[in-house]
Every structure is written in C-alpha cells, then in structure tokens.
Amino acid sequence: MSLVTVIVGAQWGDEGKGKWVDILAQSKHAIARYQGGNNAGHTLYIDGKKIVLHQIPSGIFHAEQICALLAGVVVNPAELVLEIEKIKTFGAHVNPSRLWLSARAHVITPWHIELDRRREQDSKNPIGTTKRGIGPTYSAKAARTGIRIGEYVDKDRRKHWISEMAAHDHAFASHFAEHRETWERFESAATELAPFVCDAEHQIRQMLKEGRKVLLEGAQGALLDIDHGTYPYVTSSNTAAGGAVASLGFNPHLVDQIIGVAKAYATRVGEGPFPTELHDEVGQHIAHVGKEFGATTGRARRCGWLDIVALRYAVEASGCHALILNKMDILNDLDTIKYCVAYQHPKLGKLTTFPWDAKILADCTPVYESVPGWKSELPDHDAAHALPQAAKAYIKRVEELVGVPVSMVGTGVARQHAIFIK
Ligand code: IMP
C-alpha cells in the first residue's frame, strides 16, 4: 500500500478525478488538493445525489479522513464558505480538525476576478478561462504582490494589503470603492475561515512521518499545466504531478504511486488546439451521453476521440505508473472506436511525439487507428472478466500505445461503477 499517491488528470481536465479520489480516499488518512482554485469542478454522486466540489478535496464525504488545501492552491474565500455550507447539507462532517486550509495558499480577491474578466473580454486572443480570477491570482503570487490566507484572516494585515494596493493602483482603488458589497463579503468570509487556517504542509509531513497515507489530488489536467501544457491555452499552475511535490514541500522520493485519470475519449473546455475534436454526430453523441458540460461554468465541452499522442505525453510529464480509463460506458453504442496514434503536420510530416508549440499542434491532423465497438452495456462493478472482448481489446491497445497499465476502468457515475483490473 503506497504512502503517497498522486492523482493527476492526464488530459485537459474533466477526466472524472473527483469520483476516483472519493473511491481511493477510503484507504487513505488524508486527501490534499495541490493546485488550482474554484476553476475546478469535481462531480460526485453520493447516495444518488449529485454534488460538485470546487475547492474542497473529494475525500470530504468520508467521515475520518483529513482534507487539506495546500500552498499551491488559490482560494476564493466567500465561495469556500458557501461550499462548506453546501457540503454540510449533504452530510459531510466539516470542522477544523479535519479540514485544513494552508496559511500559505494565495487568496483570489474580487480584484483578481475583475482582472481575469477584463482580460478575457478585451483580448484578441482570449484563453477561454473560467473567469474565476485564477491567472491574475497566480500572477500576483509570482510578482509577490498577492495576499496569502494567513495574512487575509488577520484583519490588520488584510486591511494593510488593501490600502497598499489602493495606494499604488488607481484601478484597484476604484474597484474597491465601487463594489462595496462584494468586498464586504470577501472580508467577512475571513472570520468564518480563520478556524481552518493552519500550517497544513507541516501537519501533512508529520502524518507522513507517522506512516499515515496521503493522497495528493490535482485539479484540471496535465495538458493544462503552465509549463508542460498547450501554452498559452493552459491554466496558471503546475497541474502535472510535479506540482504536488512543490505544493506540499516534502521529500519527492516519498511519492510511490502516481495515477493518471483519462477519459476513454477526449474533451476540452475553452480555447486551444485539440487535434481529435469532432464536429459531427459522433461528437454530439459523446457530448450528449457523456453530459459534457462544464461543472463550473456550464459551458459545452468540445469532444473528440482519445488522443494517444497527447495522453502518452501527459503520462510521461507526470511519471504516471498507471492509468484509470474513465467513462468507458459513454462509448457503448458506437460501432467503431477511433484513437489517434500520430499527427500529420503540413510541414513537419508525421509526428508521434507531442509538440511543445500550440501553433504546431493547431496545424496537426490526427492519424487514427480503430477497433470495433462493444455495442453493449458494461458491467457496473468490480468484474474485469465480465468486460466485453472488444472493450478489453481497446484497453489493451491503449496500454500498449501509452506504455503503462490501465489499472481501473470507470463504467458509470456512481462510486460502485468502478472496475479494478490490476
Ligand atoms: P483558468 O484556469 O480559469 O484560468 O482557465 C484556463 C484554461 O483552463 C481554460 O481553457 C479553462 O477552460 C481551463 N480550465 C480551468 N479549469 C478547468 C477544469 O476544471 N476543467 C477543464 N478545464 C479547465
């Protein structure tokens, strides 16, 4: 049983990590989110009821486990307060002994949200962000002008930060003066969050010294990583597994299991190249059956065939030991299942590795292989042998091409819709 497991998205996000974190959390002592903010939407079905988590780790519905938001996360305080209230109505036990909010995490303020909105609105090349203030908050962190949770919950330090910002930035000062209600809500959330704020990284490291098992949960996916993704069409943090190490700050050798989660097809939200995107009725079918609408923004997700070149790259960039192939059931009705094994580029010819440049990727057309569809329902619980032969053949081909085992398969939305293969 591994000490530190990292769960990372192996595509452009929305792979269904939340469900798997919820399942794997059963055997862990702590679940900690390592990056992102309320741009994420992790959908869980608890006792048949759907709940979307944006900031709180997906282990919160287990009674005993500690849930933490680590230094690499950005936090929207007012939204986090609402989320805590919401999950309580779903029966989650939330108290400061089991929800730890890192004092080091940076705060998304109303000003950062405004900057995100303005940039998206005014830019000739919008990224298609979630407009949750993610980019500007990480920018402020890197520029060392941000405010961290530990300072935010201290009234004097928060007021000082606001007055310094207002003194140096007229646009900030106007926003602060003109949006009093929003800023008051932002400030009042500090009192409610203060009891949860702690040195979460130190406390998790202590747990590891005691041999307690920790799961580090990513948000988004490796192809949206600020360094390794399809820049600039990425989010503003290190979504790949390396981000987990930086966010917790610990001995990287302690990570002994890295699991990538990928859908059996591909989706993307927002702008950016997506070679296997489908604009036909198959794409519409996948979108409809897979309910491919953003859990955070409600935007329709772009859908396409599984891109093995991109997946292999994401697996490499995160050092995944194994893959979870999720939402296989969405392909149940299809006659043929295609998957992209190479790209054809007008100038560079055939590519079998993922290009560093989003411009190159945008000019690539996919080279497909295919397998026959299984045209039947998939078993909905732990019964790998019961998978139809054609589904097994698809999984085997994915394993061969990506180079890591598929250890679990998702065949439905609920906790029990999980097949453990290896
Ligand atoms: P931001 O993270 O809001 O700055 O958005 C940057 C890019 O990441 C956009 O293409 C978003 O659609 C995408 N993105 C952010 N969060 C998620 C997510 O949870 N799932 C899928 N895409 C996301």
Side-chain angles (χ1 to χ4, degrees):
M1 180 68 73
S2 76
L3 185 66
V4 179
T5 298
V6 180
I7 299 279
V8 59
Q11 292 165 314
W12 282 284
D14 306 317
E15 300 90 353
K17 294 176 290 298
K19 167 185 159 162
W20 292 94
V21 170
D22 173 49
I23 291 172
L24 298 171
Q26 288 170 39
S27 58
K28 309 291 175 195
H29 297 103
I31 298 91
R33 174 77 75 85
Y34 64 82
Q35 48 73 224
N38 65 327
N39 49 347
H42 289 172
T43 305
L44 300 181
Y45 285 83
I46 306 290
D47 299 330
K49 282 184 281 177
K50 177 178 167 179
I51 176 152
V52 182
L53 296 173
H54 298 285
Q55 305 188 78
I56 295 176
S58 307
I60 198 72
F61 288 100
H62 297 276
E64 305 292 328
Q65 284 79 338
I66 306 281
C67 285
L69 282 82
L70 296 176
V73 159
V74 289
V75 177
N76 180 318
E79 291 297 322
L80 182 56
V81 168
L82 289 178
E83 196 169 322
I84 291 171
E85 291 311 315
K86 186 171 77 176
I87 59 173
K88 281 184 182 166
T89 68
F90 278 78
H93 303 289
V94 187
N95 57 62
S97 67
R98 70 173 298 243
L99 181 63
W100 298 348
L101 180 51
S102 169
R104 295 181 177 85
H106 274 252
V107 178
I108 304 170
T109 75
W111 178 236
H112 298 121
I113 298 169
E114 176 65 12
L115 289 176
D116 196 6
R117 192 190 64 75
R118 285 187 195 174
R119 195 220 170 252
E120 283 295 293
Q121 185 182 285
D122 301 341
S123 170
K124 285 204 187 88
N125 298 304
I127 304 295
T129 74
T130 58
K131 301 198 184 113
R132 297 298 190 269
I134 306 299
T137 305
Y138 279 112
S139 302
K141 170 179 172 172
R144 289 149 296 169
T145 58
I147 175 167
R148 303 194 294 174
I149 286 282
E151 287 126 25
Y152 160 79
V153 295
D154 177 328
K155 188 174 171 198
D156 292 340
R157 295 177 81 176
R158 182 176 70 244
K159 297 276 179 213
H160 178 73
W161 182 85
I162 292 173
S163 64
E164 283 288 299
M165 286 293 292
H168 292 105
D169 185 338
H170 291 310
F172 176 97
S174 312
H175 188 267
F176 186 73
E178 286 160 20
H179 297 85
R180 290 307 309 143
E181 218 177 285
T182 308
W183 279 95
E184 273 159 26
R185 210 163 55 240
F186 167 76
E187 291 210 55
S188 69
T191 317
E192 285 152 278
L193 292 184
F196 298 98
V197 178
C198 60
D199 190 338
E201 297 76 31
H202 172 72
Q203 294 179 189
I204 298 266
R205 284 192 296 266
Q206 286 303 113
M207 291 182 75
L208 291 174
K209 280 187 190 154
E210 291 157 15
R212 297 207 277 161
K213 296 174 185 58
V214 173
L215 189 156
L216 300 175
E217 175 193 31
Q220 292 85 40
L223 300 174
L224 289 175
D225 186 285
I226 182 84
D227 290 308
H228 305 289
T230 49
Y231 191 90
Y233 303 102
V234 293
T235 191
S236 302
S237 57
N238 283 116
T239 55
V245 175
S247 182
L248 175 55
F250 73 125
N251 178 352
H253 286 120
L254 295 180
V255 177
D256 46 8
Q257 187 181 41
I258 303 173
I259 303 176
V261 185
K263 282 193 272 217
Y265 50 95
T267 63
R268 176 161 204 169
V269 202
E271 304 302 320
F274 180 12
T276 62
E277 182 170 13
L278 291 168
H279 298 283
D280 59 8
E281 63 281 3
V282 176
Q284 284 161 15
H285 174 82
I286 292 174
H288 175 69
V289 181
K291 299 193 175 61
E292 294 295 352
F293 294 92
T296 298
T297 57
R299 290 180 291 175
R301 296 182 186 139
R302 301 153 67 192
C303 295
W305 295 117
L306 184 64
D307 183 339
I308 297 281
V309 183
L311 180 57
R312 190 165 51 222
Y313 170 78
V315 160
E316 256 178 48
S318 278
C320 297
H321 300 115
L323 269 181
I324 294 173
L325 204 56
N326 207 21
K327 296 185 87 166
M328 281 243 340
D329 55 306
I330 306 308
L331 307 181
N332 283 354
D333 293 334
L334 298 177
D335 294 328
T336 304
I337 316 280
K338 291 190 188 178
Y339 45 96
C340 165
V341 293
Y343 303 135
Q344 193 64 42
H345 186 273
K347 291 202 184 99
L348 303 170
K350 191 174 169 187
L351 303 176
T352 52
T353 53
F354 197 69
W356 68 271
D357 188 354
K359 260 188 181 325
I360 294 178
L361 190 63
D363 290 335
C364 286
T365 46
V367 178
Y368 288 118
E369 271 185 14
S370 63
V371 288
W374 41 93
K375 303 279 284 175
S376 64
E377 299 287 303
L378 295 177
D380 65 359
H381 57 282
D382 192 353
H385 63 274
L387 280 170
Q389 209 47 48
K392 283 186 194 158
Y394 183 49
I395 294 168
K396 186 158 174 280
R397 193 69 186 123
V398 171
E399 288 180 326
E400 281 166 3
L401 290 167
V402 178
V404 293
V406 171
S407 57
M408 293 162 240
V409 170
T411 59
V413 292
R415 263 181 191 165
Q416 75 269 19
H417 293 144
I419 296 182
F420 295 83
I421 300 184
K422 299 178 172 107

